[in-house]
Amino acid sequence: MDLTDFGAGAQYIAGRPTRGSGEPFQVVNPADGSVVEQVALAGTDDVDAAVAAAKAALPGWSSATPGARSEALTRLAAVLTDACGDLARVETAQTGKPVKLATEFDVPGTIDNAAFFAGAARNLEGKAAGEYSGDHTSYVRREAIGVVGSISPWNYPLQMAAWKILPAIAAGNTIVLKPAELTPLTSLMFAGACTAAGIPDGVVNVVTGAGRTAGEHLVGHPDVAMVSFTGSTGVGKRVAELATASVKRTHLELGGKAPFVVFDDADLDAAVHGAVAASLINGGQDCTAATRAYVQRPLYDAFVAGVAELFAAIRIGDPLNPRTDLGPLVSYAHRDRVAGFVERARGYATVVTGGRVPEKGHDGSDLTRGAYYPPTLITGAAQDSEVVQGEIFGPVLVVLPFDGDDEGLRLANDTPYGLAASAWTSNVHRSLRATREIAAGCVWVNDHIPIISEMPHGGYKASGYGKDMSQYSLDEYTQVKHVMFDTTAVARKDWHRTVFGDR
């Protein structure tokens, strides 16, 4: 099966590609403006068809044994492995991310997720059966919720498709995924891989459409039992509002503004290199990327100088060149949005390096046709300024000084978001305090960004609720049922007297 053959269009319903009933749309390569694929967007009829397919497939898939679902996901990991080169190439073409990132991070991470959930499907845990009341045996069942409607973002299209689809189907649900219309192609490839792996038709469906039509219709659909959304906090509020109207379960992974806290006993070289990698991964288009570096004053000047030096050496250029460190942002509109943050910051802060759209790449290539933006370092911004508080979602790092530990941790928490953070110190007591007091769903110590399938990912505060990845994600996608059996065979129970009669 050729996963790159998108057939009649950008929908994948009931095990086959279909053409959407909506407007035509061009998937554009942001490196040069070329058209990667022309698609027809989904209308509400397409969403209805996908939900109907998922609903029809639900009885068979939810009643399959955990072992059968596990075997299917094991086959899926093998199909994805065979297609790894195509997946990396298409991911790079639609997003502009460097091919080395797609090859070494996005694709292997997705395959590892599939392998992990193949095992997790056989391990849906519950409390041990027991006679907790003395007169009854109780046990817990974990059951599928039903049809899941998921909406995934454009920054990691393949990985986010996996994060949505894998725990849902491992737990016995069926799913309709709506990827971002800017970057739908690897999500469609993932759905095709599910079919190639023998996962029954209708278990995994993909509809590519605009959020206000296909997305809102999916969230409000009466046959959708649960909604999972990854994206901005603003859109997440709208998703929650629509889902609440019909009392659907919701799982929201929203925005972030991750602090990077460097104490005065940190390894400076490690912190500088860590900050550059953590702020520039995926062009900074990562909700866990380091965006606010708080550096204790004794290390502040050296940290700024070190980051500026490394930023200036970053190789910007053609994302298909394996030596390229930083490709374009996902679109021209998004590049202009990021540039707008920086231009406004010039009025109240210092742009130390970057901040100008580049014209030539590291290999001499012409960058003017692409949505490129350079690594940009900003200092001198106030804590309440836009670049410190707003989610820029680009290759921009703001550095601020702090004095005492109390101040550093207070500043780290001074944001509506709480998705991820890191603390840099050689003192175990400082690290323990930081991991305890920073309000975020993930706190790294002396590193920033690594994720693993076995551990949960999800936020606090305006960064949403619920977990992706790990065994914990199965809590999001299952219903817990208490089953209770009488063990006495006594007709007249002692507790009946509290309702009628005497002892």
Side-chain angles (χ1 to χ4, degrees), residues 125-147:
E125 294 180 339
K127 196 169 185 177
E131 288 69 51
Y132 296 99
S133 78
D135 292 336
H136 306 82
T137 296
S138 290
Y139 67 86
V140 169
R141 289 178 55 88
R142 282 194 180 270
E143 297 179 347
I145 295 173
V147 176

Side-chain angles (χ1 to χ4, degrees), residues 106-285:
D106 297 65
V107 174
T110 300
I111 294 168
D112 186 69
N113 266 214
F116 171 81
F117 280 106
R122 306 183 80 139
N123 190 32
L124 295 175
E125 294 180 339
K127 196 169 185 177
E131 288 69 51
Y132 296 99
S133 78
D135 292 336
H136 306 82
T137 296
S138 290
Y139 67 86
V140 169
R141 289 178 55 88
R142 282 194 180 270
E143 297 179 347
I145 295 173
V147 176
V148 177
S150 287
I151 300 175
S152 57
W154 48 256
N155 57 338
Y156 290 102
L158 178 62
Q159 287 208 81
M160 294 300 99
W163 286 18
K164 298 302 182 192
I165 291 170
L166 290 169
I169 67 174
N173 304 283
T174 57
I175 188 168
V176 178
L177 174 74
K178 192 205 87 65
E181 62 270 31
L182 289 176
T183 57
L185 302 181
T186 48
S187 298
L188 293 164
M189 292 172 72
F190 192 95
C194 290
T195 298
I199 294 173
D201 295 350
V203 172
V204 176
N205 308 275
V206 175
V207 291
T208 301
R212 291 196 176 276
T213 53
E216 293 203 357
H217 191 64
L218 178 62
V219 171
H221 200 289
D223 290 331
V224 169
M226 174 187 167
V227 173
S228 179
F229 171 80
T230 296
S232 71
T233 297
V235 177
K237 291 177 180 178
R238 174 62 175 161
V239 168
E241 176 187 334
L242 291 170
T244 300
S246 50
V247 200
K248 300 183 197 304
R249 182 182 293 193
T250 55
H251 165 214
L252 303 176
E253 199 264 89
L254 307 177
K257 190 70 177 175
F260 187 101
V261 184
V262 183
F263 293 96
D264 59 10
D265 62 346
D267 181 325
L268 178 63
D269 191 49
V272 167
H273 282 78
V276 172
S279 61
L280 299 185
I281 186 170
N282 204 40
Q285 299 165 126

Side-chain angles (χ1 to χ4, degrees), residues 12-68:
Y12 199 90
I13 299 172
R16 65 184 184 277
T18 63
R19 181 173 294 280
S21 60
E23 295 296 315
F25 185 84
Q26 292 180 337
V27 178
V28 174
N29 185 335
D32 58 13
S34 62
V35 176
V36 181
E37 194 77 27
Q38 173 117 356
V39 302
L41 295 180
T44 56
D45 289 348
D46 302 302
V47 174
D48 290 341
V51 173
K55 184 178 180 180
L58 180 64
W61 184 248
S62 64
S63 63
T65 65

Side-chain angles (χ1 to χ4, degrees), residues 319-339:
L320 287 175
N321 184 331
R323 297 188 70 247
T324 292
D325 300 320
L326 185 67
L329 301 186
V330 74
S331 69
Y332 306 105
H334 185 62
R335 188 268 312 275
D336 293 345
R337 177 184 177 276
V338 171

